[in-house]
Amino acid sequence: MFAFVLCIFGVFAVQAGEKLDFSDITSREKAEALFAQGKVEKITLFPREFGGQETPLNTVFVPIGVGDAKNKVTGMLVRYVSDGLINKLVVEPEYKGDSFIPSRIKMRAWHTEQKGEFTPSIEVW
């Protein structure tokens, strides 16, 4: 049995005391403009390692560096699958207001025949 929560926090090129705020990024077009300026990166929500595809519904824009945190979590999930600890995964973005940039990415991984779950959360902004 296993059960624990992992919450990953990050500071992504923010000046001391400055807080990230993407509340005015309310459309894909605005997010694409930030991407073109190199201010955000694109990541897939449901990992490609588990069949996730780079489609608009599975792709989100996040501050630079969040992709690295997501890759670390995905690496843990791959190991847990290899070890037979998990066989199900749900990935769910959370948003603040009308922002197109998620504020948090929550994941829930478990095994259908075992007790316990792994619930990492990446705080985006």
Short mmCIF file of all heavy atoms in Angstrom, two decimals, residues 49-119:
data_model
loop_
_atom_site.label_atom_id
_atom_site.label_comp_id
_atom_site.label_asym_id
_atom_site.label_seq_id
_atom_site.Cartn_x
_atom_site.Cartn_y
_atom_site.Cartn_z
N GLU A 49 4.19 9.59 -22.61
CA GLU A 49 4.67 8.26 -22.22
C GLU A 49 3.50 7.29 -21.97
O GLU A 49 3.69 6.08 -22.01
CB GLU A 49 5.52 8.35 -20.94
CG GLU A 49 6.83 9.07 -21.13
CD GLU A 49 6.74 10.59 -21.02
OE1 GLU A 49 5.64 11.15 -21.05
OE2 GLU A 49 7.81 11.21 -20.92
N PHE A 50 2.32 7.84 -21.73
CA PHE A 50 1.14 7.02 -21.47
C PHE A 50 0.08 7.19 -22.55
O PHE A 50 -1.09 6.89 -22.31
CB PHE A 50 0.57 7.33 -20.09
CG PHE A 50 1.56 7.14 -18.98
CD1 PHE A 50 1.93 8.19 -18.17
CD2 PHE A 50 2.14 5.90 -18.75
CE1 PHE A 50 2.85 8.02 -17.15
CE2 PHE A 50 3.06 5.72 -17.74
CZ PHE A 50 3.42 6.79 -16.93
N GLY A 51 0.48 7.69 -23.71
CA GLY A 51 -0.46 7.81 -24.82
C GLY A 51 -1.03 9.19 -25.05
O GLY A 51 -1.81 9.39 -25.97
N GLY A 52 -0.68 10.16 -24.21
CA GLY A 52 -1.15 11.53 -24.41
C GLY A 52 -0.60 12.10 -25.71
O GLY A 52 0.54 11.84 -26.07
N GLN A 53 -1.42 12.84 -26.41
CA GLN A 53 -1.01 13.40 -27.69
C GLN A 53 -0.95 14.92 -27.61
O GLN A 53 -1.59 15.54 -26.75
CB GLN A 53 -1.96 12.95 -28.78
CG GLN A 53 -1.95 11.45 -28.96
CD GLN A 53 -2.83 11.01 -30.10
OE1 GLN A 53 -3.32 11.81 -30.88
NE2 GLN A 53 -3.05 9.72 -30.19
N GLU A 54 -0.18 15.51 -28.51
CA GLU A 54 -0.03 16.96 -28.55
C GLU A 54 -1.20 17.57 -29.33
O GLU A 54 -1.04 18.02 -30.45
CB GLU A 54 1.31 17.33 -29.17
CG GLU A 54 1.81 18.66 -28.68
CD GLU A 54 3.27 18.88 -29.00
OE1 GLU A 54 4.08 17.97 -28.75
OE2 GLU A 54 3.58 19.97 -29.50
N THR A 55 -2.37 17.55 -28.71
CA THR A 55 -3.57 18.13 -29.29
C THR A 55 -3.95 19.36 -28.48
O THR A 55 -3.51 19.52 -27.33
CB THR A 55 -4.73 17.12 -29.24
OG1 THR A 55 -5.02 16.83 -27.87
CG2 THR A 55 -4.39 15.83 -29.98
N PRO A 56 -4.76 20.25 -29.04
CA PRO A 56 -5.15 21.45 -28.28
C PRO A 56 -5.79 21.13 -26.92
O PRO A 56 -5.54 21.84 -25.95
CB PRO A 56 -6.16 22.14 -29.21
CG PRO A 56 -5.72 21.74 -30.58
CD PRO A 56 -5.25 20.31 -30.43
N LEU A 57 -6.57 20.07 -26.83
CA LEU A 57 -7.21 19.73 -25.55
C LEU A 57 -6.22 19.19 -24.52
O LEU A 57 -6.49 19.24 -23.32
CB LEU A 57 -8.32 18.71 -25.77
CG LEU A 57 -9.58 19.24 -26.45
CD1 LEU A 57 -10.57 18.10 -26.70
CD2 LEU A 57 -10.22 20.34 -25.64
N ASN A 58 -5.09 18.68 -24.96
CA ASN A 58 -4.10 18.10 -24.05
C ASN A 58 -2.87 18.98 -23.89
O ASN A 58 -1.91 18.60 -23.24
CB ASN A 58 -3.68 16.70 -24.54
CG ASN A 58 -2.93 15.92 -23.48
OD1 ASN A 58 -3.26 15.93 -22.31
ND2 ASN A 58 -1.87 15.24 -23.91
N THR A 59 -2.88 20.16 -24.47
CA THR A 59 -1.73 21.06 -24.42
C THR A 59 -2.09 22.33 -23.66
O THR A 59 -3.14 22.91 -23.90
CB THR A 59 -1.27 21.43 -25.84
OG1 THR A 59 -0.98 20.23 -26.56
CG2 THR A 59 -0.03 22.30 -25.82
N VAL A 60 -1.23 22.71 -22.73
CA VAL A 60 -1.42 23.96 -22.00
C VAL A 60 -0.14 24.79 -22.06
O VAL A 60 0.94 24.26 -22.31
CB VAL A 60 -1.82 23.72 -20.52
CG1 VAL A 60 -3.20 23.08 -20.43
CG2 VAL A 60 -0.79 22.90 -19.79
N PHE A 61 -0.30 26.07 -21.81
CA PHE A 61 0.82 27.00 -21.74
C PHE A 61 1.12 27.26 -20.28
O PHE A 61 0.21 27.49 -19.49
CB PHE A 61 0.47 28.30 -22.45
CG PHE A 61 0.22 28.14 -23.91
CD1 PHE A 61 -1.04 27.79 -24.39
CD2 PHE A 61 1.24 28.34 -24.84
CE1 PHE A 61 -1.27 27.64 -25.74
CE2 PHE A 61 1.01 28.18 -26.20
CZ PHE A 61 -0.25 27.83 -26.65
N VAL A 62 2.40 27.21 -19.91
CA VAL A 62 2.82 27.40 -18.52
C VAL A 62 4.10 28.22 -18.50
O VAL A 62 4.82 28.29 -19.51
CB VAL A 62 3.05 26.05 -17.82
CG1 VAL A 62 1.75 25.28 -17.68
CG2 VAL A 62 4.09 25.21 -18.55
N PRO A 63 4.44 28.85 -17.37
CA PRO A 63 5.70 29.59 -17.28
C PRO A 63 6.89 28.67 -17.56
O PRO A 63 6.83 27.46 -17.28
CB PRO A 63 5.73 30.08 -15.83
CG PRO A 63 4.30 30.07 -15.39
CD PRO A 63 3.66 28.94 -16.14
N ILE A 64 7.94 29.25 -18.09
CA ILE A 64 9.16 28.51 -18.38
C ILE A 64 9.64 27.83 -17.09
O ILE A 64 9.71 28.45 -16.04
CB ILE A 64 10.27 29.45 -18.92
CG1 ILE A 64 9.80 30.22 -20.15
CG2 ILE A 64 11.57 28.67 -19.18
CD1 ILE A 64 9.48 29.36 -21.35
N GLY A 65 9.93 26.55 -17.17
CA GLY A 65 10.42 25.79 -16.02
C GLY A 65 9.39 24.81 -15.48
O GLY A 65 9.75 23.81 -14.88
N VAL A 66 8.12 25.09 -15.70
CA VAL A 66 7.08 24.18 -15.21
C VAL A 66 7.17 22.85 -15.95
O VAL A 66 6.92 21.79 -15.38
CB VAL A 66 5.68 24.81 -15.34
CG1 VAL A 66 4.58 23.81 -15.01
CG2 VAL A 66 5.57 26.03 -14.43
N GLY A 67 7.57 22.89 -17.21
CA GLY A 67 7.73 21.66 -17.99
C GLY A 67 8.75 20.72 -17.35
O GLY A 67 8.55 19.50 -17.33
N ASP A 68 9.82 21.28 -16.79
CA ASP A 68 10.82 20.45 -16.11
C ASP A 68 10.21 19.75 -14.89
O ASP A 68 10.46 18.57 -14.65
CB ASP A 68 12.02 21.29 -15.68
CG ASP A 68 12.86 21.75 -16.86
OD1 ASP A 68 12.80 21.12 -17.94
OD2 ASP A 68 13.58 22.76 -16.70
N ALA A 69 9.42 20.49 -14.12
CA ALA A 69 8.76 19.90 -12.96
C ALA A 69 7.81 18.80 -13.39
O ALA A 69 7.77 17.72 -12.79
CB ALA A 69 8.01 20.97 -12.17
N LYS A 70 7.05 19.04 -14.45
CA LYS A 70 6.11 18.04 -14.96
C LYS A 70 6.86 16.80 -15.43
O LYS A 70 6.42 15.67 -15.20
CB LYS A 70 5.28 18.63 -16.10
CG LYS A 70 4.44 17.63 -16.85
CD LYS A 70 3.04 17.59 -16.38
CE LYS A 70 2.12 16.68 -17.17
NZ LYS A 70 2.65 15.75 -18.10
N ASN A 71 8.00 16.98 -16.09
CA ASN A 71 8.80 15.85 -16.55
C ASN A 71 9.31 15.00 -15.38
O ASN A 71 9.37 13.77 -15.49
CB ASN A 71 9.97 16.32 -17.41
CG ASN A 71 9.52 16.84 -18.76
OD1 ASN A 71 8.44 16.51 -19.24
ND2 ASN A 71 10.34 17.68 -19.37
N LYS A 72 9.66 15.64 -14.27
CA LYS A 72 10.12 14.89 -13.09
C LYS A 72 8.98 14.04 -12.53
O LYS A 72 9.19 12.88 -12.16
CB LYS A 72 10.67 15.85 -12.04
CG LYS A 72 12.01 16.43 -12.44
CD LYS A 72 12.53 17.41 -11.43
CE LYS A 72 13.84 18.00 -11.97
NZ LYS A 72 14.40 19.01 -11.13
N VAL A 73 7.79 14.63 -12.47
CA VAL A 73 6.65 13.86 -11.97
C VAL A 73 6.35 12.71 -12.93
O VAL A 73 6.10 11.57 -12.49
CB VAL A 73 5.41 14.76 -11.80
CG1 VAL A 73 4.18 13.93 -11.46
CG2 VAL A 73 5.65 15.81 -10.72
N THR A 74 6.39 12.98 -14.21
CA THR A 74 6.14 11.92 -15.21
C THR A 74 7.17 10.80 -15.06
O THR A 74 6.82 9.62 -15.15
CB THR A 74 6.16 12.49 -16.63
OG1 THR A 74 5.11 13.46 -16.75
CG2 THR A 74 5.96 11.40 -17.67
N GLY A 75 8.42 11.15 -14.81
CA GLY A 75 9.45 10.14 -14.59
C GLY A 75 9.12 9.24 -13.41
O GLY A 75 9.30 8.02 -13.47
N MET A 76 8.61 9.84 -12.33
CA MET A 76 8.19 9.04 -11.17
C MET A 76 7.04 8.12 -11.56
O MET A 76 7.01 6.94 -11.19
CB MET A 76 7.75 9.93 -10.01
CG MET A 76 8.90 10.56 -9.27
SD MET A 76 8.36 11.37 -7.74
CE MET A 76 7.74 12.90 -8.40
N LEU A 77 6.08 8.64 -12.32
CA LEU A 77 4.94 7.83 -12.73
C LEU A 77 5.37 6.65 -13.60
O LEU A 77 4.86 5.54 -13.44
CB LEU A 77 3.92 8.69 -13.48
CG LEU A 77 3.22 9.78 -12.66
CD1 LEU A 77 2.42 10.70 -13.57
CD2 LEU A 77 2.35 9.16 -11.58
N VAL A 78 6.32 6.88 -14.48
CA VAL A 78 6.84 5.79 -15.33
C VAL A 78 7.45 4.69 -14.45
O VAL A 78 7.21 3.51 -14.67
CB VAL A 78 7.87 6.33 -16.35
CG1 VAL A 78 8.64 5.21 -17.02
CG2 VAL A 78 7.17 7.21 -17.40
N ARG A 79 8.21 5.10 -13.44
CA ARG A 79 8.80 4.11 -12.52
C ARG A 79 7.71 3.36 -11.76
O ARG A 79 7.80 2.15 -11.57
CB ARG A 79 9.77 4.79 -11.54
CG ARG A 79 11.09 5.15 -12.18
CD ARG A 79 12.14 5.58 -11.16
NE ARG A 79 11.75 6.70 -10.32
CZ ARG A 79 11.82 7.98 -10.67
NH1 ARG A 79 12.25 8.32 -11.86
NH2 ARG A 79 11.46 8.93 -9.82
N TYR A 80 6.68 4.07 -11.32
CA TYR A 80 5.60 3.41 -10.58
C TYR A 80 4.85 2.42 -11.45
O TYR A 80 4.44 1.36 -10.97
CB TYR A 80 4.64 4.44 -10.00
CG TYR A 80 5.24 5.30 -8.90
CD1 TYR A 80 4.61 6.45 -8.49
CD2 TYR A 80 6.44 4.96 -8.27
CE1 TYR A 80 5.15 7.25 -7.49
CE2 TYR A 80 6.98 5.75 -7.27
CZ TYR A 80 6.33 6.89 -6.89
OH TYR A 80 6.87 7.67 -5.89
N VAL A 81 4.68 2.74 -12.73
CA VAL A 81 4.06 1.79 -13.65
C VAL A 81 4.96 0.57 -13.79
O VAL A 81 4.50 -0.57 -13.70
CB VAL A 81 3.78 2.42 -15.03
CG1 VAL A 81 3.42 1.37 -16.06
CG2 VAL A 81 2.67 3.46 -14.92
N SER A 82 6.26 0.79 -13.98
CA SER A 82 7.22 -0.32 -14.11
C SER A 82 7.23 -1.20 -12.88
O SER A 82 7.39 -2.42 -12.98
CB SER A 82 8.63 0.22 -14.35
OG SER A 82 8.71 0.87 -15.59
N ASP A 83 7.05 -0.60 -11.72
CA ASP A 83 7.05 -1.36 -10.46
C ASP A 83 5.69 -1.97 -10.14
O ASP A 83 5.53 -2.61 -9.10
CB ASP A 83 7.47 -0.45 -9.30
CG ASP A 83 8.93 -0.02 -9.39
OD1 ASP A 83 9.70 -0.63 -10.15
OD2 ASP A 83 9.29 0.96 -8.70
N GLY A 84 4.70 -1.74 -11.00
CA GLY A 84 3.37 -2.30 -10.78
C GLY A 84 2.57 -1.59 -9.70
O GLY A 84 1.60 -2.14 -9.19
N LEU A 85 2.96 -0.37 -9.36
CA LEU A 85 2.27 0.36 -8.29
C LEU A 85 1.03 1.12 -8.77
O LEU A 85 0.12 1.37 -7.99
CB LEU A 85 3.23 1.34 -7.61
CG LEU A 85 4.40 0.71 -6.88
CD1 LEU A 85 5.37 1.79 -6.40
CD2 LEU A 85 3.91 -0.13 -5.72
N ILE A 86 1.03 1.53 -10.04
CA ILE A 86 -0.12 2.26 -10.59
C ILE A 86 -0.50 1.72 -11.96
O ILE A 86 0.34 1.18 -12.68
CB ILE A 86 0.15 3.78 -10.70
CG1 ILE A 86 1.31 4.08 -11.66
CG2 ILE A 86 0.40 4.40 -9.33
CD1 ILE A 86 1.52 5.54 -11.97
N ASN A 87 -1.78 1.84 -12.28
CA ASN A 87 -2.23 1.48 -13.63
C ASN A 87 -3.34 2.43 -14.13
O ASN A 87 -3.91 2.20 -15.17
CB ASN A 87 -2.68 0.02 -13.71
CG ASN A 87 -3.90 -0.30 -12.86
OD1 ASN A 87 -4.48 0.56 -12.21
ND2 ASN A 87 -4.28 -1.56 -12.86
N LYS A 88 -3.62 3.47 -13.37
CA LYS A 88 -4.59 4.48 -13.77
C LYS A 88 -4.02 5.87 -13.48
O LYS A 88 -3.30 6.06 -12.50
CB LYS A 88 -5.91 4.34 -13.00
CG LYS A 88 -6.65 3.06 -13.30
CD LYS A 88 -7.26 3.12 -14.68
CE LYS A 88 -8.07 1.87 -14.94
NZ LYS A 88 -8.58 1.81 -16.28
N LEU A 89 -4.39 6.84 -14.34
CA LEU A 89 -3.90 8.20 -14.17
C LEU A 89 -4.95 9.19 -14.66
O LEU A 89 -5.53 9.01 -15.73
CB LEU A 89 -2.60 8.41 -14.96
CG LEU A 89 -2.03 9.84 -15.01
CD1 LEU A 89 -1.60 10.31 -13.63
CD2 LEU A 89 -0.87 9.91 -15.99
N VAL A 90 -5.18 10.22 -13.85
CA VAL A 90 -6.04 11.34 -14.23
C VAL A 90 -5.22 12.61 -14.06
O VAL A 90 -4.56 12.78 -13.02
CB VAL A 90 -7.31 11.41 -13.35
CG1 VAL A 90 -8.11 12.66 -13.65
CG2 VAL A 90 -8.15 10.17 -13.53
N VAL A 91 -5.24 13.49 -15.05
CA VAL A 91 -4.54 14.77 -14.98
C VAL A 91 -5.58 15.86 -15.19
O VAL A 91 -6.33 15.82 -16.16
CB VAL A 91 -3.43 14.87 -16.05
CG1 VAL A 91 -2.71 16.21 -15.94
CG2 VAL A 91 -2.45 13.71 -15.95
N GLU A 92 -5.59 16.83 -14.28
CA GLU A 92 -6.62 17.86 -14.33
C GLU A 92 -6.02 19.24 -14.06
O GLU A 92 -5.49 19.49 -12.98
CB GLU A 92 -7.67 17.54 -13.27
CG GLU A 92 -8.85 18.45 -13.26
CD GLU A 92 -9.86 17.97 -12.23
OE1 GLU A 92 -10.33 16.83 -12.34
OE2 GLU A 92 -10.15 18.75 -11.31
N PRO A 93 -6.12 20.15 -15.02
CA PRO A 93 -5.66 21.52 -14.75
C PRO A 93 -6.72 22.29 -13.97
O PRO A 93 -7.91 22.03 -14.09
CB PRO A 93 -5.50 22.10 -16.16
CG PRO A 93 -6.52 21.37 -16.98
CD PRO A 93 -6.60 19.98 -16.39
N GLU A 94 -6.26 23.22 -13.15
CA GLU A 94 -7.14 24.15 -12.44
C GLU A 94 -6.82 25.55 -12.92
O GLU A 94 -5.66 25.86 -13.18
CB GLU A 94 -6.94 24.06 -10.93
CG GLU A 94 -7.47 22.81 -10.31
CD GLU A 94 -7.36 22.83 -8.79
OE1 GLU A 94 -6.85 23.83 -8.20
OE2 GLU A 94 -7.77 21.84 -8.18
N TYR A 95 -7.83 26.38 -13.00
CA TYR A 95 -7.67 27.75 -13.52
C TYR A 95 -8.17 28.77 -12.52
O TYR A 95 -9.08 28.48 -11.74
CB TYR A 95 -8.44 27.89 -14.83
CG TYR A 95 -7.90 27.02 -15.93
CD1 TYR A 95 -8.36 25.72 -16.09
CD2 TYR A 95 -6.91 27.48 -16.79
CE1 TYR A 95 -7.85 24.90 -17.10
CE2 TYR A 95 -6.40 26.67 -17.80
CZ TYR A 95 -6.88 25.38 -17.93
OH TYR A 95 -6.37 24.58 -18.92
N LYS A 96 -7.58 29.96 -12.56
CA LYS A 96 -8.06 31.10 -11.78
C LYS A 96 -8.85 31.99 -12.73
O LYS A 96 -8.32 32.45 -13.74
CB LYS A 96 -6.90 31.89 -11.19
CG LYS A 96 -6.13 31.16 -10.12
CD LYS A 96 -4.99 32.03 -9.59
CE LYS A 96 -4.15 31.28 -8.59
NZ LYS A 96 -2.97 32.06 -8.17
N GLY A 97 -10.10 32.24 -12.38
CA GLY A 97 -10.92 33.12 -13.19
C GLY A 97 -11.03 32.64 -14.62
O GLY A 97 -11.21 31.44 -14.88
N ASP A 98 -10.86 33.55 -15.58
CA ASP A 98 -10.97 33.24 -17.00
C ASP A 98 -9.61 32.99 -17.66
O ASP A 98 -9.52 32.94 -18.89
CB ASP A 98 -11.68 34.38 -17.73
CG ASP A 98 -13.13 34.52 -17.32
OD1 ASP A 98 -13.75 33.48 -16.99
OD2 ASP A 98 -13.64 35.65 -17.32
N SER A 99 -8.56 32.86 -16.86
CA SER A 99 -7.22 32.68 -17.42
C SER A 99 -7.13 31.42 -18.26
O SER A 99 -7.71 30.38 -17.93
CB SER A 99 -6.18 32.62 -16.32
OG SER A 99 -4.88 32.45 -16.88
N PHE A 100 -6.40 31.51 -19.36
CA PHE A 100 -6.13 30.37 -20.23
C PHE A 100 -4.93 29.57 -19.73
O PHE A 100 -4.71 28.44 -20.14
CB PHE A 100 -5.89 30.88 -21.66
CG PHE A 100 -5.98 29.82 -22.71
CD1 PHE A 100 -7.22 29.36 -23.15
CD2 PHE A 100 -4.84 29.26 -23.25
CE1 PHE A 100 -7.31 28.37 -24.11
CE2 PHE A 100 -4.92 28.26 -24.21
CZ PHE A 100 -6.16 27.82 -24.64
N ILE A 101 -4.14 30.17 -18.83
CA ILE A 101 -2.96 29.53 -18.25
C ILE A 101 -3.39 28.86 -16.95
O ILE A 101 -3.90 29.53 -16.05
CB ILE A 101 -1.86 30.57 -17.94
CG1 ILE A 101 -1.57 31.45 -19.15
CG2 ILE A 101 -0.62 29.90 -17.36
CD1 ILE A 101 -0.65 30.92 -20.18
N PRO A 102 -3.20 27.54 -16.81
CA PRO A 102 -3.63 26.90 -15.57
C PRO A 102 -2.82 27.41 -14.37
O PRO A 102 -1.65 27.76 -14.50
CB PRO A 102 -3.35 25.41 -15.82
CG PRO A 102 -2.33 25.38 -16.89
CD PRO A 102 -2.54 26.61 -17.72
N SER A 103 -3.47 27.47 -13.23
CA SER A 103 -2.79 27.90 -12.01
C SER A 103 -2.19 26.70 -11.26
O SER A 103 -1.28 26.85 -10.47
CB SER A 103 -3.75 28.64 -11.09
OG SER A 103 -4.85 27.82 -10.75
N ARG A 104 -2.71 25.52 -11.55
CA ARG A 104 -2.25 24.29 -10.90
C ARG A 104 -2.54 23.12 -11.83
O ARG A 104 -3.52 23.14 -12.56
CB ARG A 104 -2.99 24.09 -9.58
CG ARG A 104 -2.64 22.81 -8.86
CD ARG A 104 -3.44 22.63 -7.58
NE ARG A 104 -3.08 23.68 -6.64
CZ ARG A 104 -3.94 24.36 -5.89
NH1 ARG A 104 -5.22 24.09 -5.94
NH2 ARG A 104 -3.53 25.30 -5.07
N ILE A 105 -1.68 22.12 -11.76
CA ILE A 105 -1.92 20.87 -12.49
C ILE A 105 -1.96 19.76 -11.44
O ILE A 105 -0.97 19.51 -10.76
CB ILE A 105 -0.83 20.60 -13.54
CG1 ILE A 105 -0.80 21.73 -14.57
CG2 ILE A 105 -1.07 19.25 -14.21
CD1 ILE A 105 0.38 21.69 -15.52
N LYS A 106 -3.13 19.16 -11.31
CA LYS A 106 -3.32 18.08 -10.33
C LYS A 106 -3.33 16.74 -11.05
O LYS A 106 -3.89 16.61 -12.12
CB LYS A 106 -4.65 18.26 -9.60
CG LYS A 106 -4.68 19.46 -8.71
CD LYS A 106 -5.99 19.75 -8.02
CE LYS A 106 -6.92 18.61 -7.86
NZ LYS A 106 -8.18 18.93 -7.19
N MET A 107 -2.68 15.77 -10.43
CA MET A 107 -2.66 14.42 -10.97
C MET A 107 -3.10 13.44 -9.89
O MET A 107 -2.87 13.67 -8.71
CB MET A 107 -1.25 14.06 -11.46
CG MET A 107 -0.82 14.88 -12.65
SD MET A 107 0.91 14.61 -13.02
CE MET A 107 1.51 16.26 -12.80
N ARG A 108 -3.69 12.37 -10.32
CA ARG A 108 -4.08 11.30 -9.41
C ARG A 108 -3.75 9.98 -10.09
O ARG A 108 -4.26 9.70 -11.17
CB ARG A 108 -5.57 11.38 -9.10
CG ARG A 108 -6.04 10.31 -8.15
CD ARG A 108 -7.50 10.51 -7.75
NE ARG A 108 -7.96 9.30 -7.09
CZ ARG A 108 -8.78 8.41 -7.64
NH1 ARG A 108 -9.29 8.61 -8.83
NH2 ARG A 108 -9.12 7.33 -6.98
N ALA A 109 -2.88 9.22 -9.47
CA ALA A 109 -2.47 7.93 -10.01
C ALA A 109 -2.74 6.86 -8.96
O ALA A 109 -2.50 7.07 -7.78
CB ALA A 109 -0.99 7.95 -10.38
N TRP A 110 -3.23 5.70 -9.41
CA TRP A 110 -3.54 4.61 -8.49
C TRP A 110 -3.53 3.29 -9.24
O TRP A 110 -3.43 3.25 -10.46
CB TRP A 110 -4.89 4.85 -7.82
CG TRP A 110 -6.09 4.69 -8.70
CD1 TRP A 110 -6.90 3.60 -8.80
CD2 TRP A 110 -6.62 5.64 -9.63
NE1 TRP A 110 -7.90 3.81 -9.73
CE2 TRP A 110 -7.76 5.06 -10.25
CE3 TRP A 110 -6.25 6.93 -10.02
CZ2 TRP A 110 -8.50 5.72 -11.22
CZ3 TRP A 110 -7.00 7.59 -10.99
CH2 TRP A 110 -8.11 6.98 -11.56
N HIS A 111 -3.63 2.23 -8.48
CA HIS A 111 -3.73 0.89 -9.06
C HIS A 111 -5.10 0.35 -8.71
O HIS A 111 -5.54 0.43 -7.56
CB HIS A 111 -2.64 -0.03 -8.49
CG HIS A 111 -2.46 -1.27 -9.30
ND1 HIS A 111 -3.38 -2.29 -9.31
CD2 HIS A 111 -1.46 -1.63 -10.14
CE1 HIS A 111 -2.96 -3.24 -10.12
NE2 HIS A 111 -1.80 -2.87 -10.64
N THR A 112 -5.78 -0.20 -9.69
CA THR A 112 -7.15 -0.67 -9.50
C THR A 112 -7.25 -1.85 -8.55
O THR A 112 -8.33 -2.12 -8.03
CB THR A 112 -7.79 -1.04 -10.85
OG1 THR A 112 -6.95 -1.99 -11.52
CG2 THR A 112 -7.97 0.19 -11.73
N GLU A 113 -6.14 -2.54 -8.31
CA GLU A 113 -6.19 -3.73 -7.46
C GLU A 113 -5.40 -3.56 -6.16
O GLU A 113 -5.16 -4.54 -5.46
CB GLU A 113 -5.69 -4.93 -8.24
CG GLU A 113 -6.55 -5.25 -9.45
CD GLU A 113 -5.99 -6.38 -10.29
OE1 GLU A 113 -4.99 -7.00 -9.89
OE2 GLU A 113 -6.57 -6.64 -11.37
N GLN A 114 -4.99 -2.31 -5.87
CA GLN A 114 -4.23 -2.06 -4.65
C GLN A 114 -4.79 -0.83 -3.96
O GLN A 114 -5.40 0.02 -4.60
CB GLN A 114 -2.75 -1.83 -4.98
CG GLN A 114 -2.06 -3.00 -5.63
CD GLN A 114 -0.62 -2.68 -5.97
OE1 GLN A 114 0.00 -1.85 -5.34
NE2 GLN A 114 -0.10 -3.34 -6.98
N LYS A 115 -4.55 -0.74 -2.66
CA LYS A 115 -4.94 0.46 -1.92
C LYS A 115 -3.87 1.53 -2.08
O LYS A 115 -2.72 1.22 -2.31
CB LYS A 115 -5.14 0.13 -0.44
CG LYS A 115 -6.33 -0.71 -0.16
CD LYS A 115 -6.53 -0.88 1.32
CE LYS A 115 -7.79 -1.69 1.58
NZ LYS A 115 -8.08 -1.77 3.00
N GLY A 116 -4.28 2.77 -1.94
CA GLY A 116 -3.35 3.89 -1.98
C GLY A 116 -3.38 4.60 -3.31
O GLY A 116 -3.91 4.11 -4.30
N GLU A 117 -2.83 5.80 -3.30
CA GLU A 117 -2.75 6.59 -4.52
C GLU A 117 -1.60 7.58 -4.41
O GLU A 117 -1.12 7.88 -3.32
CB GLU A 117 -4.06 7.31 -4.80
CG GLU A 117 -4.48 8.28 -3.75
CD GLU A 117 -5.83 8.91 -4.05
OE1 GLU A 117 -6.66 8.30 -4.74
OE2 GLU A 117 -6.05 10.01 -3.58
N PHE A 118 -1.19 8.10 -5.54
CA PHE A 118 -0.15 9.10 -5.65
C PHE A 118 -0.82 10.34 -6.24
O PHE A 118 -1.43 10.26 -7.31
CB PHE A 118 0.96 8.56 -6.56
CG PHE A 118 2.07 9.53 -6.84
CD1 PHE A 118 2.80 10.12 -5.81
CD2 PHE A 118 2.43 9.84 -8.14
CE1 PHE A 118 3.83 11.00 -6.07
CE2 PHE A 118 3.46 10.72 -8.42
CZ PHE A 118 4.17 11.29 -7.38
N THR A 119 -0.77 11.47 -5.53
CA THR A 119 -1.49 12.66 -5.98
C THR A 119 -0.58 13.88 -6.05
O THR A 119 -0.67 14.79 -5.22
CB THR A 119 -2.69 12.95 -5.05
OG1 THR A 119 -2.20 13.06 -3.71
CG2 THR A 119 -3.74 11.86 -5.14
#
